[in-house]
Amino acid sequence: MAASSSSSSLLPQTLKVGIVGFGAFGQFLAKTMIKQGHTIRATSRTDHSRLCHQLGVPFYRDTLSFLEADNDVILISTSILSLSEVLRAMPLHCLKRRTLFVDVLSVKEHPRNVLLQVLPDVMDVLCTHPMFGPESGKNGWKDLPFVYEKVRVRDEPRCSSFLQIFESEGCRMVEMSCEEHDKLAARSQFLSHAIGRILSEMGIESTSMNTKSFETLVKLKESTTNDSFDLFSGLFIHNRFAQQELMNLEHSFEMVKQRLRRGTSEEQNLSKDKGACYYWLQWHAEMIQTKWKTKVGGDLQRYGGCDEWTVVETCKNMKVVVSEQLVMVEACIHMDEESVPVVVKVEVYDGVVNLEISEETVVVMLHICKVYRWLPRL
Ligand code: NAP
């Protein structure tokens, strides 16, 4: 990740920008571009011609005429969920000139992949995420982050002129790979949206005795629910890192509940603690599975619908000892053609889990999750 300046030594050009998807965000961006003197034209699923007329923007119902309208840049501002369908329905082969395609979707790997798949090779591709919206950017864009990756850019001056739209408004320009963006955004953006939606489900409303923290919660609920559910859903479905964050959220919620219950009850219910422990192991199993895939490439399979995991890369000579308070696994695992002996011990004493495990023992850990189910009352 790097904060950067995209200015070229040449003066920025005035651009002809065709916007695909003239919803809330497309309109919001168009207003600033018009103010800066760029020429805008638009196409969208819904007929926005009346609004476009007020803005002095030609609106094309027909995508063929839109593509033939001699655009320097085609800006994609359609919903994350509809991107693929929208692009595949466009007669892109009719483009007469090399055009810069820019997307502004709130996830980045997905549009990058789709654009590279559907566009002719001669088209330039810039993937961006202005990390603000009609609400947070209503008083200007100064210091608001603008993330981008030049995925395939041959016409540098044109790309710089486009980036200049945001730079000249004072945005903080951040050049970053689409993958890195999605990793960070799953933690920040998806998580805030998820919590905002949960608060909305709970129906929280401002009261006459709000604390500052409660006001923050109400604002979070309002700002996230102002965005469409399609956007939230897209953040989850098309960001491969979001699933993990959702699991982290669930796990942490479970842990907080467990702690609260322990705090309110003197009676340490062992079976509940075991439940927590099992949950904890399950959570780790999910993380381990991801690690295992990237590190060793072995395939782990989930038995349909249940919580057990099995390892296709085998553990040899595995010995499992299970008692009321202890699960011990001695095994020999094969990694990179080496045989690594490991012992993994999980002890449960009055709800305290002692786990000895090292990086190499990931496979065994999965087996623990499995055998732990054999313990009485679990
Ligand atoms: P959105 O609900 O994500 O997208 C609305 C746009 O998608 C509208 O132009 C709509 O077209 C189009 N659309 C939705 N479903 C469609 C379908 N099945 N077929 C064709 N077009 C369809 O809301 P948004 O806030 O305007 O966001 C637009 C894009 O900007 C999204 O990709 C979002 O991730 C990104 N973005 C939004 C923000 C923000 O703060 N809102 C910030 C940064 C980036 P019609 O209007 O013609 O119906």
Side-chain angles (χ1 to χ4, degrees):
M1 172 175 47
S4 72
S5 164
S6 61
S7 308
S8 115
S9 50
L10 299 167
L11 277 177
Q13 311 159 16
T14 301
L15 297 168
K16 285 175 272 184
V17 182
I19 301 184
V20 180
F22 210 60
F25 197 61
Q27 295 165 24
F28 168 69
L29 293 179
K31 285 176 191 156
T32 297
M33 293 183 195
I34 294 168
K35 183 193 78 183
Q36 291 184 0
H38 300 287
T39 305
I40 306 298
R41 50 285 294 262
T43 188
S44 211
R45 169 185 61 175
T46 306
D47 184 0
H48 292 290
S49 48
R50 189 179 294 183
L51 172 82
C52 281
H53 181 70
Q54 287 164 10
L55 295 171
V57 168
F59 182 80
Y60 296 81
R61 293 245 60 188
D62 164 33
T63 49
L64 179 61
S65 327
F66 171 80
L67 290 178
E68 287 174 346
D70 188 30
N71 301 295
D72 298 307
V73 177
I74 291 190
L75 179 76
I76 319 281
S77 181
T78 194
S79 68
I80 300 168
L81 297 182
S82 67
L83 171 80
S84 198
E85 181 194 330
V86 167
L87 278 179
R88 286 177 209 279
M90 292 181 93
L92 295 166
H93 57 277
C94 294
L95 280 167
K96 294 213 174 66
R97 52 180 291 201
R98 295 174 179 217
T99 310
L100 169 65
F101 278 75
V102 181
D103 85 280
V104 292
L105 273 61
S106 309
V107 293
K108 292 277 47 80
E109 286 192 308
H110 172 63
R112 180 200 58 198
N113 297 344
V114 175
L115 286 168
L116 290 178
Q117 267 169 28
V118 302
L119 291 178
D121 279 355
V122 291
M123 303 298 162
D124 282 2
V125 178
L126 173 69
C127 288
T128 79
H129 184 193
M131 306 225 33
F132 49 91
E135 190 50 39
S136 53
K138 68 180 175 204
N139 298 322
W141 301 354
K142 189 157 174 7
D143 297 328
L144 298 175
F146 180 89
V147 176
Y148 66 97
E149 181 183 358
K150 294 179 185 178
V151 173
R152 187 169 68 202
V153 172
R154 279 156 291 209
D155 186 340
E156 279 288 345
R158 179 178 57 187
C159 181
S160 291
S161 298
F162 180 82
L163 292 171
Q164 189 63 34
I165 295 173
F166 297 86
E167 214 170 333
S168 63
E169 294 296 316
C171 285
R172 186 159 56 79
M173 308 299 283
V174 184
E175 191 166 7
M176 179 191 287
S177 74
C178 292
E179 181 182 1
E180 182 70 5
H181 167 278
D182 282 3
K183 243 184 238 167
L184 296 176
R187 190 115 269 225
S188 56
Q189 193 183 27
F190 171 71
L191 204 56
S192 334
H193 276 252
I195 291 171
R197 293 275 165 185
I198 293 168
L199 295 171
S200 162
E201 274 305 312
M202 292 172 69
I204 68 156
E205 295 295 344
S206 194
T207 70
S208 55
M209 44 168 283
N210 282 1
T211 58
K212 287 277 171 213
S213 333
F214 188 68
E215 264 166 28
T216 312
L217 292 187
V218 174
K219 274 193 201 136
L220 176 66
K221 179 204 93 170
E222 283 165 359
S223 70
T224 47
T225 49
N226 274 343
D227 287 326
S228 68
F229 195 85
D230 266 14
L231 197 152
F232 177 47
S233 175
L235 292 179
F236 180 68
I237 295 173
H238 290 295
N239 182 339
R240 65 190 164 106
F241 304 102
Q243 174 72 33
Q244 184 64 59
E245 287 308 327
L246 192 62
M247 286 189 325
N248 291 348
L249 181 64
E250 281 173 341
H251 166 73
S252 308
F253 183 53
E254 204 49 47
M255 289 296 102
V256 170
K257 272 188 343 198
Q258 291 290 336
R259 248 182 253 159
L260 268 178
R261 284 180 185 145
R262 246 180 240 138
T264 52
S265 163
E266 281 303 307
E267 189 192 323
Q268 296 278 314
N269 183 333
L270 189 60
S271 74
K272 270 189 194 158
D273 290 330
K274 277 184 200 156
C277 172
Y278 177 61
Y279 193 91
W280 187 88
L281 288 171
Q282 253 181 298
W283 180 68
H284 277 267
E286 305 260 358
M287 301 233 293
I288 285 159
Q289 197 224 20
T290 314
K291 265 194 197 164
W292 175 260
K293 274 198 167 153
T294 40
K295 201 171 162 190
V296 190
D299 212 9
L300 303 177
Q301 289 176 348
R302 190 167 197 168
Y303 292 129
C306 79
D307 294 318
E308 292 182 351
W309 297 83
T310 186
V311 183
V312 175
E313 298 281 323
T314 53
C315 266
K316 287 208 177 125
N317 309 322
M318 194 171 87
K319 190 171 124 201
V320 182
V321 182
V322 182
S323 72
E324 180 72 21
Q325 284 172 327
L326 176 77
V327 179
M328 194 170 79
V329 182
E330 284 180 61
C332 213
I333 59 168
H334 293 273
M335 290 180 87
D336 305 326
E337 302 188 350
E338 259 185 73
S339 191
V340 187
V342 290
V343 177
V344 181
K345 237 165 87 176
V346 182
E347 293 170 276
V348 187
Y349 291 116
D350 291 331
V352 179
V353 181
N354 294 313
L355 180 75
E356 294 170 22
I357 187 163
S358 66
E359 186 75 0
E360 289 74 33
T361 59
V362 289
V363 189
V364 182
M365 183 71 181
L366 293 169
H367 279 274
I368 295 176
C369 292
K370 230 170 131 182
V371 296
Y372 202 76
R373 297 199 113 195
W374 303 341
L375 280 172
R377 306 206 324 262
L378 276 177

